[in-house]
Amino acid sequence: VEKMDFDLSEEQRLLKESVDGLLTDSYDFDARKKYMKEKGGWSKAVWGKLAEQGLLGLPFAEADGGFGAGGVETMIVMEALGKALVLEPYLATVVIGGGFLRHGGSDAQKAAYVPAIIDGSKTFAFAQLEKNSRYDLHDVATSAKKKGSGWVIDGEKFVVLNGENADELIVTARTKGDRRDKTGVGVFLVPANAEGVTKKSYPTQDSLHAADITFTGVEVGADAAIGNPEDGLALIERVVDDARMALCAEAVGLMDESLKTTVEYIKTRKQFGVPIGTFQSLQHRASDMFVAVEQARSMSMFATMASDFDDARERAKAIAAAKVQIGKSLKFVGQQSIQLHGGIGMTMEARIGHYFKRLTMIENTFGDTDYHLRRVTDAGGLV
């Protein structure tokens, strides 16, 4: 295995400073509560600031108006978004929506959609999960049937993140075969306001918003299909691996901040007249948390490097392994944070509970720890 360089370049360091600075200025816990009350559960003004700083254009090719950045830049941004508990749909729009356009979009599709992502005028949502599909990306009952040169989409999708506010939906639908066939799955761009699209929105456990979306005879043109409509699974897996990598980085930011908040708390919280941080058993727990965060950080970096692997199997294996470590670390760090905060950790007023909720949701997004452990085992363990 060749040596991997984990040092940030000068440009990457500047990016980290600018995104951290932006969020420190505009994203304290009270501001977040206000953003949560806006339509769809996030702030248009903050989204505009992310666009102004060029953060929405990072991964896109320079030819498409972006900055041509790679996985490391996405990792830096996602970690910062995690630290600040950001509600805005960076994952859904830039990583996933943008990922489908980057990895599979035609020149015409890129020209039509990428500039609107970069300038912040359009957000995306990925309508993939179905009632019985669990974490299997090929388990698709929603259908796309040929009609003239276009398609008619019918089906139901659940827990679509940013489903309420999204301008464009990226929908997985079956063009042929049976529900669990690996072939015959296509990816389609559907305007959120298309006729036959109905949504039921709700807040999720971690204060984000999702929607269940029904497609009833939704007609789209031939240009709606991203890539090959009869064989889109490899593209879907590629983009979801990018999303898993991004979630690993977000989790590291969340854990980092959970640890910091907890250490500050045990230094100031007094029992028997002394700060509880002076108790040796609690110091040991804090150091165990530190180790768990660092293990997660190194695996997140590994996943980031792996996202550029050409070999799809190696990439999937590395990212699954990272998701396993992140899952183990976040459970430990999350639970210890709450315990060390005592009863206050369970309240809505304490930030720490919100970190724990978001970490728990990440563990269950695009495959939980057990699911990815099976993937690693099936692929023959780690190299």
Side-chain angles (χ1 to χ4, degrees):
V1 179
E2 59 185 294
K3 182 177 175 290
M4 290 183 174
D5 181 11
F6 286 147
D7 287 337
L8 298 183
S9 69
E10 186 57 32
E11 278 179 348
Q12 288 164 344
R13 265 200 303 277
L14 287 171
L15 168 67
K16 185 171 169 23
E17 281 168 23
S18 78
V19 66
D20 283 343
L22 169 70
L23 295 173
T24 304
D25 290 344
S26 63
Y27 229 94
D28 65 31
F29 194 53
D30 289 329
R32 182 178 183 266
K33 284 180 192 164
K34 288 193 198 90
Y35 303 152
M36 221 186 274
K37 295 192 176 100
E38 291 190 36
K39 182 183 176 291
W42 54 269
S43 160
K44 309 295 168 297
V46 171
W47 194 247
K49 285 182 187 170
L50 297 178
E52 273 165 36
Q53 287 231 355
L55 298 175
L56 307 184
L58 278 176
F60 299 103
E62 289 177 27
D64 297 322
F67 292 94
V72 176
E73 285 76 11
T74 299
M75 177 184 84
I76 290 167
V77 172
M78 288 301 296
E79 220 172 286
L81 297 178
K83 276 185 182 172
L85 270 179
V86 167
L87 302 156
E88 284 64 34
Y90 196 89
L91 180 80
T93 300
V94 179
V95 178
I96 299 177
F100 275 108
L101 293 165
R102 286 190 307 114
H103 295 309
S106 64
D107 290 342
Q109 284 167 335
K110 286 179 191 167
Y113 295 101
V114 171
I117 292 180
I118 293 173
D119 70 16
S121 60
K122 276 193 171 167
T123 68
F124 280 67
F126 183 33
Q128 171 260 322
L129 202 66
E130 299 200 3
K131 196 166 259 173
N132 300 308
S133 65
R134 290 289 287 155
Y135 300 126
D136 293 327
L137 298 169
H138 58 275
D139 190 327
V140 178
T142 295
S143 65
K145 293 194 165 62
K146 261 308 213 183
K147 182 180 180 184
S149 64
W151 304 88
V152 180
I153 298 174
D154 284 283
E156 271 185 291
K157 298 287 186 176
F158 294 88
V159 202
V160 178
L161 280 181
N162 193 40
E164 185 175 347
N165 272 359
D167 303 282
E168 300 291 333
L169 305 172
I170 290 184
V171 185
T172 56
R174 185 164 289 290
T175 55
K176 61 172 195 191
D178 295 323
R179 200 187 97 189
R180 289 183 58 81
D181 287 357
K182 298 276 176 91
T183 56
V185 179
V187 181
F188 298 88
L189 278 157
V190 179
N193 60 2
E195 204 173 320
V197 174
T198 53
K199 307 173 193 173
K200 190 179 115 224
S201 305
Y202 47 88
T204 48
Q205 279 292 329
D206 52 2
S207 309
L208 296 181
H209 278 223
D212 296 341
I213 303 181
T214 306
F215 300 86
T216 313
V218 178
E219 297 193 22
V220 292
D223 58 353
I226 301 179
N228 179 352
E230 295 197 341
D231 199 12
L233 188 60
L235 170 64
I236 297 163
E237 285 176 339
R238 173 89 211 239
V239 175
V240 169
D241 271 344
D242 281 355
R244 288 171 175 139
M245 176 211 90
L247 284 166
C248 285
E250 185 189 344
V252 169
L254 286 154
M255 283 187 263
D256 225 8
E257 204 57 27
S258 298
L259 174 60
K260 203 170 104 192
T261 308
T262 303
V263 168
E264 277 168 16
Y265 181 78
I266 65 175
K267 279 181 181 167
T268 52
R269 169 85 170 97
K270 289 189 171 174
Q271 243 177 11
F272 311 115
V274 295
I276 60 174
T278 57
F279 302 145
Q280 205 172 18
S281 62
L282 300 195
Q283 289 172 4
H284 286 165
R285 279 215 243 174
S287 59
D288 288 344
M289 285 168 72
F290 174 78
V291 171
V293 174
E294 291 310 308
Q295 285 174 324
R297 192 189 310 280
S298 60
M299 282 306 276
S300 171
M301 287 176 172
F302 179 51
T304 300
M305 301 297 170
S307 67
D308 292 333
F309 289 178
D310 291 327
D311 182 329
R313 212 186 128 122
E314 287 302 312
R315 185 181 67 239
K317 189 162 77 170
I319 288 172
K323 193 89 165 55
V324 170
Q325 179 59 56
I326 294 284
K328 287 179 177 171
S329 288
L330 69 79
K331 203 167 250 178
F332 181 75
V333 172
Q335 289 173 348
Q336 295 299 323
S337 302
I338 296 286
Q339 283 188 3
L340 290 171
H341 272 77
I344 195 173
M346 301 297 287
T347 63
M348 287 300 280
E349 288 70 39
R351 280 177 59 170
I352 201 67
H354 295 264
Y355 281 98
F356 186 46
K357 284 178 175 181
R358 179 66 193 136
L359 284 167
T360 305
M361 292 296 275
I362 286 176
E363 206 259 329
N364 289 292
T365 304
F366 296 128
D368 61 13
T369 309
D370 289 344
Y371 173 83
H372 287 292
L373 200 51
R374 280 198 300 279
R375 284 181 81 206
V376 175
T377 313
D378 293 347
L382 267 171
V383 275

